[in-house]
Structure formats: C-alpha cells, structure tokens
Amino acid sequence: MHWRTQRDLGELSAAEWFASKGARICFPVGHSPDWDFIAELDGRVIRLQVKTCISFQNRRWNVTVCTRGGNQSWSGIVKRFDPESCDYLFAVVGDGRRWCIRSDALQGKTSIALGGPRYAEFEVERGHPRPGRIDDEAVSTIAP
C-alpha cells in the first residue's frame, strides 16, 4: 500500500473514532505541519497528529513519530516530535489497534513502541485492519 493511502486511512480511522464520541471534525485546507485534524469535543478543541504503522517486531508496533521529509530531495533533517505542536497523537497500526495518547505522555521523540504496558492506558477501541490484512475476527464481522 502506498504510504499516502496508509496515512489517509489512518486519519479517517482517527476521525471516525472521535466522531463516534460526538466530536465535530475539522481538516485543514492545505498542509498543516503540526496536526492532521482538529476535533471539537465537549466544547474543547483538540489538535491531533495521526501516525500509522505496519512494522511489527518483537511483539510491538514500532511507530515513527518524527518526520523525515518524504521526497527524494530530502535534506537529511529530522523533525522530532514536539509535544507542544499538538494535544494528542493518534496511532493506528496494521491489525486495526488504535491509541489516543496525550502528547505530554509520549516518551519518544523519533519513535515509540506500542502493544506493551507503557501506553496501554491510551489504547482505544480497535478499528479495521489495514486492507490486505484479513484475520479471523475481521472476516467474522463481514461474513454473512
């Protein structure tokens, strides 16, 4: 899957979760360097950065939270995660698991490992697995 498609599906998964909680969702016109969308929930405006991951190693999802460019003319500069740039980091991984982590609770500036005890309190309801990954649970929800 192309990384842009993966990113778009992750943002939609995060927006769907917030909408299911009653939030109003606002996407920026044009690129926003610090957040992917805003959710208004119970009168509070929340800036969200969404990250996706399909890398599963040592029983953990290794989510990159820094930005390393994305084009062929990359200068080699890494933009590390800044907890002041957004209120929450929403992570969506390949099997559909999702986390909504307060940015001030993140301990990594370039990557974090999800699926263990460190961020367990921030895990939210599971979404859909990424396309191409069909597991028994997913099939049972769509099969007649």
Side-chain angles (χ1 to χ4, degrees):
M1 174 185 309
H2 193 275
W3 66 269
R4 285 187 184 134
T5 302
Q6 181 177 316
R7 178 197 65 201
D8 291 346
L9 290 173
E11 289 177 10
L12 288 172
S13 180
E16 178 273 328
W17 185 81
F18 270 92
S20 76
K21 305 301 178 205
R24 291 183 174 164
I25 307 301
C26 301
F27 286 94
V29 174
H31 175 70
S32 170
D34 296 323
W35 47 267
D36 294 310
F37 71 91
I38 290 175
E40 181 186 8
L41 184 62
D42 298 327
R44 182 172 170 226
V45 175
I46 303 166
R47 300 169 300 158
L48 290 128
Q49 177 65 246
V50 179
K51 297 294 182 182
T52 60
C53 173
I54 57 171
S55 173
F56 188 75
Q57 298 173 339
N58 300 323
R59 299 182 331 177
R60 300 288 185 267
W61 295 96
N62 301 305
V63 180
T64 301
V65 297
C66 67
T67 303
R68 290 190 170 102
N71 62 36
Q72 293 180 348
S73 62
W74 179 47
S75 65
I77 297 173
V78 174
K79 179 183 171 193
R80 288 177 169 68
F81 182 79
D82 176 8
E84 298 293 320
S85 66
C86 63
D87 302 307
Y88 285 84
L89 180 124
F90 198 99
V92 181
V93 299
D95 67 355
R97 291 173 72 185
R98 304 184 287 191
W99 289 260
C100 187
I101 306 168
R102 284 189 339 269
S103 57
D104 63 356
L106 283 167
Q107 296 180 4
K109 298 287 186 194
T110 58
S111 67
I112 57 173
L114 297 176
R118 177 171 287 163
Y119 297 107
E121 69 181 288
F122 299 106
E123 189 168 359
V124 299
E125 295 90 358
R126 185 181 295 249
H128 298 285
R130 75 173 179 88
R133 278 190 70 122
I134 301 294
D135 57 21
D136 291 336
E137 182 181 342
V139 171
S140 69
T141 63
I142 59 173

